[in-house]
């Protein structure tokens, strides 16, 4: 069974940085695109960022573009999200999620077939 | 971006009855709709994609239909574990977006 375990969530002040990690197991991580999706009471579920299986393409929601950076290390079966210049509205549970498609070359038509349990990011002054 | 409106926000039903949940898109998304189930303190679970294809391990009680802007998730013969939150997601237009959810309650 696919396992995705997020970590790195914490309480942070506005303007600070956090780095989230997602450890994957029980599947060939390097063959799948990966994404971060966040969920907050006020904004519901929101796609944040995605990266193709080979890191050739990345993309971001407009709300985080220029502040967040997604990356992956296929040798370590890990996905990352570097979150800089945090804002109050970034507070949410952050899930890593797998793209259903094997080796998709684009970040489009995304269906999320496996999700981690999430890690909580709280941004507060 | 495409706005998905789910209705009703809350749906009451009973075990062994059926339930029909709706999702309307602000513009056509073809058949690029997925449905997820979420229980308290758990991540979403994929139920349906491509509007009507059940994900691996999802029982036949769950079915999806629709195309263009109007989509339906139908759950037959409700079981206690089916009472949860349900979200639709579109991936026909960029960026992918989610609906606000329907809470299916007993």
């Amino acid at each position: 069974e696919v396992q995705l375990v997020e970590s790195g969530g914490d309480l942070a002040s506005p303007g600070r940085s956090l780095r989230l990690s997602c450890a994957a197991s029980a599947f060939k991580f390097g063959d799948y695109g990966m994404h971060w999706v966040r969920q907050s009471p006020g904004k519901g579920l929101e796609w944040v960022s995605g990266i193709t299986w080979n890191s050739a393409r990345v993309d971001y929601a407009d709300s985080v573009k220029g502040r967040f950076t997604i990356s992956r290390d296929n040798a370590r079966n890990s996905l990352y999200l570097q979150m800089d210049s945090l804002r109050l509205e970034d507070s949410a549970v952050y899930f890593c999620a797998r793209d259903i498609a094997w080796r998709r070359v684009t970040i489009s038509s995304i269906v999320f077939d496996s999700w981690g349990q999430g890690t909580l990011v709280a941004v507060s002054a | 971006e495409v706005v998905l409106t789910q209705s009703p926000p809350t749906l009451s039903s009973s075990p062994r009855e059926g339930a029909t949940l709706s999702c309307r898109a602000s513009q056509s998304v073809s058949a690029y709709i997925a449905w997820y189930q979420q229980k308290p303190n758990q991540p979403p679970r994929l139920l349906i994609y491509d509007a009507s294809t059940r994900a691996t391990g999802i029982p036949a009680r769950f079915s999806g239909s629709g195309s263009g802007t109007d989509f339906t998730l139908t759950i037959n013969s409700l079981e206690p574990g089916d009472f949860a939150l349900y979200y639709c997601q579109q991936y026909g237009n960029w960026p992918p977006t989610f609906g606000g959810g329907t809470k299916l309650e007993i």
Side-chain angles (χ1 to χ4, degrees):
Chain A
E1 182 182 341
V2 169
Q3 285 218 342
L4 299 168
V5 180
E6 302 92 339
S7 60
D10 204 349
L11 175 63
S13 302
R16 301 301 294 267
S17 298
L18 284 176
R19 189 190 194 213
L20 305 184
S21 299
C22 172
S25 60
F27 71 101
K28 192 167 181 188
F29 178 75
D31 282 342
Y32 290 86
M34 297 296 297
H35 298 260
W36 290 97
V37 179
R38 67 187 180 186
Q39 185 173 32
S40 61
K43 298 184 73 175
L45 286 162
E46 179 187 17
W47 173 83
V48 173
S49 180
I51 186 168
T52 52
W53 62 279
N54 58 357
S55 302
R57 301 193 70 155
V58 300
D59 206 353
Y60 303 91
D62 287 344
S63 57
V64 307
K65 200 169 288 185
R67 300 187 298 120
F68 290 10
T69 304
I70 192 171
S71 62
R72 65 188 296 161
D73 184 339
N74 288 345
R76 295 179 183 271
N77 294 327
S78 293
L79 175 72
Y80 306 102
L81 186 68
Q82 178 67 38
M83 310 167 64
D84 297 324
S85 303
L86 283 164
R87 302 171 179 170
L88 297 175
E89 57 266 32
D90 294 322
S91 296
V93 174
Y94 284 73
F95 297 101
C96 69
R98 190 181 80 165
D99 180 1
I100 196 171
W102 183 85
R103 294 201 176 189
R104 190 194 305 272
V105 297
T106 63
I107 303 180
S108 61
S109 300
I110 301 300
V111 176
F112 309 104
D113 74 338
S114 298
W115 300 62
Q117 288 294 318
T119 188
L120 177 62
V121 172
V123 183
S124 175
Chain B
E1 66 180 40
V2 175
V3 176
L4 297 178
T5 302
Q6 291 188 241
S7 61
T10 304
L11 178 62
S12 297
S13 190
S14 302
R16 296 181 299 281
E17 292 186 348
T20 301
L21 290 66
S22 295
C23 176
R24 174 165 289 178
S26 59
Q27 62 191 82
S28 177
V29 296
S30 186
Y32 297 120
I33 280 285
W35 290 92
Y36 300 84
Q37 177 194 69
Q38 188 177 30
K39 298 179 181 179
N41 299 314
Q42 293 188 20
R45 177 175 73 139
L46 177 65
L47 300 174
I48 300 282
Y49 62 97
D50 292 347
S52 61
T53 301
R54 278 188 300 278
T56 302
I58 302 303
R61 302 184 293 103
F62 292 86
S63 63
S65 64
S67 66
T69 60
D70 291 298
F71 300 89
T72 298
L73 173 69
T74 300
I75 312 171
N76 293 320
S77 189
L78 286 163
E79 297 185 357
D82 296 337
F83 293 92
L85 270 166
Y86 291 84
Y87 294 96
C88 57
Q89 176 229 331
Q90 69 81 23
Y91 47 102
N93 293 275
W94 193 251
T97 52
F98 294 84
T102 290
K103 182 180 181 181
L104 178 58
E105 64 176 22
I106 297 178

